[in-house]
């Protein structure tokens, strides 16, 4: 009856199976929480997506690479250029059933009983939990609604690294949804106004004006227990007791990590350096 949160899998299917074996995961009694980015970079994105989507008790939040897969899958022009680690999924006979499952996954999951929030990149420092839940629902209802194809075809331009980096409540339309997605799926560093810098992926920012999102002064969601992935350079460490970094870089040949929510015990397995596919060409 345990709950395990696992960080970004990135197509490292063999390592996922090894980790589930190590924690003696029982699919019908235990629940899996995943920070997202199931696909890209690693060698077995298709197997990972098939396996996770068939689990009876799984919760996942969408990562930037999961969303990128959706933008490819539902755009025939992009589907025709699969020179990357998504190729196997984009050519699979079950592509659309997998991607319809994927587009129905949330950006945020909150369990009040367990008292944990699950997100891919983080929780924007200027958002209270109720605000974050409602902004996530705006995106989720669009991805699950009848205009999802139009939205996914427009999305890449709204995720540009030069725009939509500062949340403003008055944003509207796809600009607003793109900005919300940037905070939930791509955030690492913010300034004191909670504007994003998406260009730095290391664990230290060269400018003192930028903080890791969980260290921004007066963060409005400080009381929450937060689980997130996305930021492998942190190597699982945030320095903040109730903010749990779970992406430990399995696709870079480091570790895949599970956190048991009941006692906050971490269990990891080492990943071989060869895990990363030579074909990766994404951020
Ligand atoms: Mn990510």
């Amino acid at each position: 009856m345990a709950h395990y949160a696992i960080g970004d899998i990135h197509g490292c299917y063999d390592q996922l199976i090894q980790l589930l074996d190590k924690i003696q995961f029982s699919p019908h009694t235990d629940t899996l929480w995943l920070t997202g980015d199931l696909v890209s970079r690693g060698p077995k994105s298709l197997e990972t997506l098939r396996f996770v989507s068939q689990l009876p008790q799984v919760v996942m939040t969408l990562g930037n690479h999961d969303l990128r897969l959706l933008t490819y899958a539902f755009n025939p022009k992009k589907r025709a250029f699969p020179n990357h680690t998504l190729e196997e999924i984009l050519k699979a006979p079950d592509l659309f059933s997998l991607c319809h499952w994927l587009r129905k996954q949330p950006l945020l999951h909150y369990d009040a009983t367990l008292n944990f929030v699950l997100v891919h990149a983080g929780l924007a420092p200027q958002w209270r939990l109720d605000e974050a839940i409602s902004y996530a629902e705006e995106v989720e209802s669009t991805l699950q609604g009848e205009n999802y194809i139009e939205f996914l075809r427009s999305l890449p331009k709204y995720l540009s690294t030069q725009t939509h980096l500062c949340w403003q409540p008055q944003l509207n339309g796809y600009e607003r949804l793109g900005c919300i997605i940037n905070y939930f799926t791509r955030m690492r560093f913010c300034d004191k106004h909670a504007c994003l810098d998406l260009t730095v992926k290391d664990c230290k920012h060269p400018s003192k004006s930028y903080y890791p999102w969980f260290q921004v002064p007066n963060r409005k969601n400080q009381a929450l227990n937060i689980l997130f992935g996305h930021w492998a350079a942190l190597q699982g460490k945030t320095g903040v007791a109730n903010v749990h970094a779970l992406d430990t870089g399995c696709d870079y040949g480091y570790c895949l990590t599970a956190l048991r929510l009941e006692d906050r015990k971490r269990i990891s397995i080492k990943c071989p350096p060869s895990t990363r596919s030579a074909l990766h060409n994404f951020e």
Side-chain angles (χ1 to χ4, degrees):
M1 298 284 283
H3 293 73
Y4 294 93
I6 294 183
D8 305 24
I9 299 165
H10 274 302
C12 297
Y13 173 76
D14 295 345
Q15 287 69 37
L16 172 64
I17 299 303
Q18 276 176 35
L19 180 58
L20 294 177
D21 207 37
K22 183 169 179 178
I23 62 180
Q24 298 183 295
F25 180 75
S26 168
H28 291 280
T29 51
D30 297 331
T31 301
L32 208 54
W33 287 22
L34 302 172
T35 58
D37 275 0
L38 302 187
V39 300
S40 298
R41 293 187 178 149
K44 295 189 178 178
S45 289
L46 177 60
E47 286 92 334
T48 304
L49 191 52
R50 282 179 177 158
F51 176 79
V52 169
S53 63
Q54 294 302 313
L55 283 171
Q57 302 194 115
V58 66
V59 172
M60 75 161 279
T61 49
L62 288 166
N64 48 318
H65 289 271
D66 306 314
L67 284 165
R68 195 189 304 250
L69 168 60
L70 292 176
T71 66
Y72 274 78
F74 292 108
N75 186 335
K77 283 184 197 158
K78 289 197 169 187
R79 221 164 46 229
F81 296 97
N83 182 23
H84 45 66
T85 53
L86 298 177
E87 177 173 3
E88 203 186 2
I89 300 181
L90 293 169
K91 290 182 170 173
D94 49 348
L95 167 70
F96 289 108
S97 63
L98 292 169
C99 287
H100 285 306
W101 176 84
L102 195 61
R103 76 180 171 91
K104 288 168 187 155
Q105 305 310 309
L107 285 179
L108 177 153
H109 176 72
Y110 173 59
D111 187 313
T113 308
L114 291 166
N115 192 25
F116 272 100
V117 179
L118 176 73
V119 283
H120 178 63
L123 208 50
Q126 74 279 36
W127 293 347
R128 298 186 315 264
L129 177 63
D130 61 313
E131 292 170 321
I133 289 173
S134 117
Y135 299 148
E137 282 174 353
E138 291 183 34
V139 174
E140 291 157 6
S141 65
T142 307
L143 276 174
Q144 294 166 25
E146 57 185 19
N147 294 325
Y148 70 94
I149 289 181
E150 180 198 292
F151 174 55
L152 286 168
R153 287 183 190 173
S154 311
L155 191 56
K157 77 171 177 241
Y158 294 104
L159 299 181
S160 146
T161 53
Q162 298 309 313
T163 53
H164 315 106
L165 300 179
C166 288
W167 170 250
Q168 296 168 297
Q170 65 271 29
L171 281 173
N172 55 43
Y174 289 167
E175 286 199 325
R176 177 182 176 90
L177 301 182
C179 186
I180 293 170
I181 287 174
N182 276 335
Y183 278 92
F184 275 114
T185 71
R186 302 175 73 207
M187 174 171 67
R188 290 188 184 91
F189 288 100
C190 300
D191 67 12
K192 64 182 177 186
H193 307 293
C195 290
L196 301 168
D197 178 354
L198 298 176
T199 62
V200 178
K201 297 168 76 176
D202 205 352
C203 55
K204 287 220 164 53
H205 197 286
S207 159
K208 284 187 177 161
S209 318
Y210 282 90
Y211 309 81
W213 64 265
F214 45 82
Q215 288 174 358
V216 171
N218 305 312
R219 180 164 61 88
K220 287 193 181 165
N221 42 57
Q222 283 179 21
L224 291 166
N225 297 308
I226 302 173
L227 303 158
F228 74 105
H230 185 61
W231 197 347
L234 294 175
Q235 304 228 14
K237 297 185 180 76
T238 63
V240 181
N242 58 352
V243 179
H244 302 272
L246 294 177
D247 182 359
T248 46
C250 69
D251 53 308
Y252 290 94
Y254 294 112
C255 296
L256 186 65
T257 297
L259 178 82
R260 188 161 57 213
L261 301 190
E262 282 74 8
D263 60 2
R264 301 182 188 196
K265 183 180 164 62
R266 274 179 184 254
I267 306 112
S268 293
I269 53 148
K270 285 212 158 69
C271 300
S274 60
T275 306
R276 191 164 195 186
S277 164
L279 286 172
H280 76 88
N281 54 6
F282 287 144
E283 70 182 69

